[in-house]
Amino acid sequence: MGILLSYVLLGLSLAAPIGPVNAAQLDRGIKYGFLHAWLVGVGAVVADGVYMLVVYLGLVSFINTPFIQTFLWLFGCFVLLYTGIESLFGAGKVNLQKARNQEPTYKAFLSGFIMSITNPLTILFWLGIYGSVLAKTASTSTNSELIIYSAAIFCGLLLWDVTMATISSGFRKILTSRLLALISIISGLSLIGFGIYFGIQGIALLLSH
């Protein structure tokens, strides 16, 4: 039980660092409520699951090719810049009564999924963390135990997702429209910042080959 709990905590610690997905969850939760913020996180967790599977199946060498890495950096840059600019333009329109359910729920899910699947840092994260966990656990455990431990990491990711969605949607109830707009602007700027960083990395990689 203690081992399982440690893997759940590992999942929590992987999801907790502030990044594009957390910023997007905050923005969606403020504008549209719990469900939209939660679905952004679910999309990101599904993308994490894809990379866990890729590492598990040993397809890492394909992802590590310069072409794929460059594509992910540049496409990730586009997604983050688009989402950040959209957030800035929508910041002044945050209306506590009318904002709920104005955006289709599938768009929130896709936003989280694309943001995470195109993030090369996600790949490096899963490669380093999950890859080492896999290597260590595989030498002492059966396949079924590996699946259980992977599921525990997944539970930690989902737990953080629910926490972020609850916090961001909770802001709606305690803050004024002006403060909500300010938080939305900060979220948008952080997404643009991440987008610029991704773009710089992508261009640098492109020029080096």
Side-chain angles (χ1 to χ4, degrees):
M1 192 67 196
I3 296 171
L4 272 181
L5 190 61
S6 69
Y7 281 104
V8 171
L9 288 172
L10 174 62
L12 270 171
S13 62
L14 287 173
I18 294 300
V21 174
N22 285 346
Q25 274 190 291
L26 198 60
D27 184 54
R28 286 303 206 293
I30 285 166
K31 287 179 182 169
Y32 307 113
F34 176 86
L35 181 62
H36 287 76
W38 180 69
L39 283 171
V40 170
V42 169
V45 170
V46 169
D48 287 336
V50 170
Y51 282 126
M52 283 175 85
L53 191 63
V54 163
V55 175
Y56 184 77
L57 295 174
L59 301 174
V60 171
S61 55
F62 169 71
I63 291 175
N64 276 337
T65 58
F67 173 76
I68 296 294
Q69 288 281 318
T70 305
F71 171 77
L72 288 172
W73 279 119
L74 294 176
F75 190 64
C77 165
F78 167 74
V79 170
L80 290 171
L81 288 176
Y82 175 81
T83 311
I85 290 165
E86 192 181 47
S87 175
L88 287 181
F89 278 111
K93 302 170 189 170
V94 176
N95 184 306
L96 300 185
Q97 282 72 44
K98 295 179 183 176
R100 241 179 243 282
N101 299 325
Q102 279 185 354
E103 179 188 69
T105 49
Y106 75 85
K107 193 177 174 188
F109 173 83
L110 281 176
S111 172
F113 179 77
I114 293 169
M115 211 174 279
S116 193
I117 203 87
T118 59
N119 185 348
L121 298 178
T122 305
I123 305 164
L124 295 172
F125 227 52
W126 284 110
L127 205 57
I129 305 291
Y130 186 61
S132 59
V133 166
L134 210 59
K136 180 187 163 205
T137 315
S139 59
T140 56
S141 308
T142 62
N143 270 347
S144 57
E145 283 176 319
L146 273 177
I147 290 165
I148 291 167
Y149 293 150
S150 300
I153 293 173
F154 225 66
C155 285
L157 294 170
L158 287 169
L159 193 59
W160 179 256
D161 176 26
V162 171
T163 304
M164 274 301 292
T166 305
I167 290 168
S168 59
S169 58
F171 276 148
R172 292 172 61 87
K173 295 166 187 157
I174 58 170
L175 299 176
T176 63
S177 290
R178 186 173 289 180
L179 277 171
L180 291 175
L182 180 64
I183 292 171
S184 198
I185 287 167
I186 293 167
S187 296
L189 288 173
S190 72
L191 287 168
I192 290 168
F194 282 116
I196 291 168
Y197 171 74
F198 276 34
I200 291 167
Q201 295 296 321
I203 291 164
L205 198 60
L206 196 63
L207 294 175
S208 68
H209 291 284

